[in-house]
Amino acid sequence: MWRYIALLTLLALARSEYRYNTKWFTVPLDHFGFATNATFKIKYLECDDYWDMGGGPIFFYTGNEGQIEVFANHTGFMWDIAAEFKAKIVFAEHRYYGASMPFGDKSLDNQHIGYLSSAQALADYAELINYLQKNALKPKYPVIAFGGSYGGMLAAYFRMKYPHVVAGAIAASAPIHMFPDMVPCEVFNRIVTSSYKVANSKCADNIKKSWSFIRSYAASANTSEWLRQNWNLCGPANSTLHADVLVEFLESMYVTMAMVNYPFASDFLMPLPAQPVKVVCQYLNETLKDKELLEGIGKVISVFTNNKKECLNYTEGDNYGNLNASGWDYQACTEMVMPICTTGKNDMFEPSPWNFTQYAEACHKKYNVYPRPNMARLEYGGAMLEAASNIVFSNGLLDPWAAGGILNSVSDSVKAVIIIDAAHHLDLMASNPSDPESVKMARQIHKDNIRKWIDEFNRRMAHRRA
Amino acid sequence: MWRYIALLTLLALARSEYRYNTKWFTVPLDHFGFATNATFKIKYLECDDYWDMGGGPIFFYTGNEGQIEVFANHTGFMWDIAAEFKAKIVFAEHRYYGASMPFGDKSLDNQHIGYLSSAQALADYAELINYLQKNALKPKYPVIAFGGSYGGMLAAYFRMKYPHVVAGAIAASAPIHMFPDMVPCEVFNRIVTSSYKVANSKCADNIKKSWSFIRSYAASANTSEWLRQNWNLCGPANSTLHADVLVEFLESMYVTMAMVNYPFASDFLMPLPAQPVKVVCQYLNETLKDKELLEGIGKVISVFTNNKKECLNYTEGDNYGNLNASGWDYQACTEMVMPICTTGKNDMFEPSPWNFTQYAEACHKKYNVYPRPNMARLEYGGAMLEAASNIVFSNGLLDPWAAGGILNSVSDSVKAVIIIDAAHHLDLMASNPSDPESVKMARQIHKDNIRKWIDEFNRRMAHRRA
């Protein structure tokens, strides 16, 4: 079940909706020691079209686990407000993702991947901003960090660790509490389930019932062949092992659709209709069983795969489109240990407990590392955020990642914004006629805070010059 | 001239004046990446004699560049106030110093030394405190960081980077502005000079005049032999090269005595009388020249070497008593780049400009690294400390390191304490009948702040539990 976490970004290749220049910046491979002198280049996207170079802010997206163009094209909020703020826009690519590879196409090999960590990425961003400020000793441009999901965690961490570099951070859907012993592991999938329940009252029940039918269909030759044909599977699902993989595929599918349950059609993770959970639940809106139920699930799969004609290769669970997700799997195996489980009681899934020992052994086998489960909490403060400042944590309550989000304000300057009917970082996307009022309000709050942080920075700098 | 910076701790072997247990704690070699799985043990000293285990604070000394026992024995302030605060006392040894060696006696070899950095040391301390809290998810004990000199920088940085781990920091004589382009390089030696001027009006002038006499004495066989005998030098000083080394030795001597110009006899860096600058200046208190002047300087040397009978091996500039100072030299060659120069105008030294290129090449030759001159400023904020909290920066105005200190309060909770007649972190030393009023007042301010930070921590935790 833990594979879900890799779903933070199942990214489609980006279309280029916005104009920017692609640039490169040299960083040390290791910011915190000197065992190696190696350097490499990270990519960043830059747009100065709206910028007041006399002192306009820098809107800086702390890139997460994927090709940076995808985030540039799906973070319309920054583009929407850039003119109003006369801001420079920068999207920085996270090391070991996209084209920001320290060792070229060998970067993800076990002997090279060890310099992939959030701390190293943040230090990359700090050096890049230092460069963009031109005279970093007298920084002229207030920098606002933006990020969604893991990128939101980075934006918040960036302000915590480098408050001298960033004036404030908008951290959208950042599950910074999603670490061992901080949040019960089942909450994530309870939220997923609740999305399906809300869509219609039978939907989650039907999904829950489906698992045993899938397993029994996989157990005999005739019914498994029917399943293969009805669901257009590329290969048979005629063994317990196959059934396990198929179940895992479906679980991931439901989670993904809950995450991107946006009010408009989107291709953020994959092409999906508006309100995908509602769309698929219409096939599961009465009490179904047996073949009828599985036919319904087949229609759900069709929606998820965008009705494509080719058969479904459900065993390719780790093939995230155009992205090599090894990077995130590695991060999940080192510092980003996020326990997720199912109980089968308060959620619509088969029970699957969180087993750290098993998780750790799998990591060790794959990467020759053992996870450091307390590392993120210790490095970034866990729930002890009282000393932080100028961060907004926004969470949509439809988003399963809200399970690990900050839902209550910590202080006057570390604030929670709840967006009652939004999925995964909807507030960072371009405004859309279908947007609910709640997300419009959240964006207004973001703007108010950004303005406040900019004013504060400018006052401070004026005082320093005086 | 830059060798001065290594003088931060010319440590004598510690006598054991205080009672503590010596313990060991395992830390990862690399906290910020996973290229290595290696771990090693750092040493820490622990005293629970005064501790209220029900919730008394932990006084945590962030060990600097040396054997930790030395700091335990010369930071009497922590011991003096422990009973009053019912505090646990911990002194943590910095990696790559004392016995906290990741690779045993090979640790300082170029192929092993690369994991020596302030960031790694702070992460060691964070993990140690996490362990000492027992239940780090619900920390029970407010932690107060203490440090002097580089240790003071670490205490301040610790609060900045890990405010969830430390409630506040007393950063004594911490030259956190002593980085390139932040402070003019000559200020340090102007302060040294001023100490000698204050001691008596002729003293600095005589020292300033002495350099040319030393060089001319070294230039001829007769006079150089006289110098060797009069100053009890082990070897001759009969060449330009010898003269250079001798001059450098003397410069270091004057700096050291200014740093430890305490009102009582001390063996912190070496055994010295009370007010050593005043003591030595009595030999230079009238206008002297030629042989008379050099005889005076010879008496100064005698004070500095504690009148020992053995000849003076002035060429052993890098031999810091019982310490292997390679660690600090390496740090100075990587992140701790602190420009120090002399002008010969506003100071009593021969002019010696700061030459970064030359400095960098020397580092590269010695350690196969190039310094990263902006690293410390970028990582720890330089002069941009507005977002920090709960730090007291104390500086004695007799201390040359005040050149890089915070002398003005940054905010209500990042405060400067000026100790008008104190040398290098006198406020952290045990109280002494000779203490000036100013240092007594500083210690009272420290206590008030510590109490405030503890109360704040306890209120926050009570609120969390409620």
Side-chain angles (χ1 to χ4, degrees), chain B residues 23-27 40-44 124 127-128 131:
Chain B
K23 300 202 166 179
W24 298 88
F25 180 70
T26 300
V27 292
F40 71 103
K41 287 190 168 73
I42 59 166
K43 183 166 66 180
Y44 65 103
D124 291 340
E127 292 223 11
L128 173 55
Y131 163 76

Side-chain angles (χ1 to χ4, degrees), chain A residues 28-38 111 113-120 123 126-127 130 136-137 139 159-165 180-182 330 334-335 364 368-370 372 374-375 377-389 457 460-461 464, chain B residues 28-38 111 113-120 123 126-127 130 136-137 139 159-165 180-182 330 334-335 364 368-370 372 374-375 377-389 457 460-461 464:
Chain A
L29 182 61
D30 186 358
H31 290 274
F32 304 103
F34 314 92
T36 169
N37 287 332
Q111 69 267 40
I113 199 171
Y115 297 93
L116 167 54
S117 72
S118 58
Q120 298 282 7
E127 293 223 11
N130 186 59
L137 286 161
R159 170 66 192 171
M160 291 178 204
K161 291 292 195 183
Y162 296 88
H164 49 288
V165 174
D181 304 319
M182 293 192 65
Y330 183 77
T334 50
E335 54 174 335
H364 187 246
N368 194 33
V369 292
Y370 280 107
R372 301 187 192 167
N374 300 320
M375 180 173 168
R377 182 177 53 73
L378 197 56
E379 198 55 35
Y380 301 115
M384 308 271 291
L385 304 183
E386 288 85 355
S389 60
F457 175 90
R460 199 163 65 223
M461 289 302 122
R464 202 177 278 270
Chain B
L29 183 60
D30 185 359
H31 289 275
F32 303 104
F34 314 93
T36 168
N37 288 330
Q111 68 268 40
I113 200 171
Y115 297 93
L116 167 54
S117 72
S118 59
Q120 299 283 6
E127 292 223 11
N130 185 59
L137 287 160
R159 170 65 192 172
M160 290 178 203
K161 292 291 195 184
Y162 296 88
H164 48 288
V165 174
D181 304 320
M182 294 191 65
Y330 184 77
T334 51
E335 55 174 335
H364 186 246
N368 194 32
V369 292
Y370 281 107
R372 301 188 193 167
N374 298 320
M375 181 172 168
R377 182 177 51 74
L378 198 55
E379 198 55 35
Y380 302 115
M384 308 271 289
L385 304 184
E386 288 84 356
S389 60
F457 174 90
R460 200 164 65 222
M461 289 301 122
R464 203 178 276 272

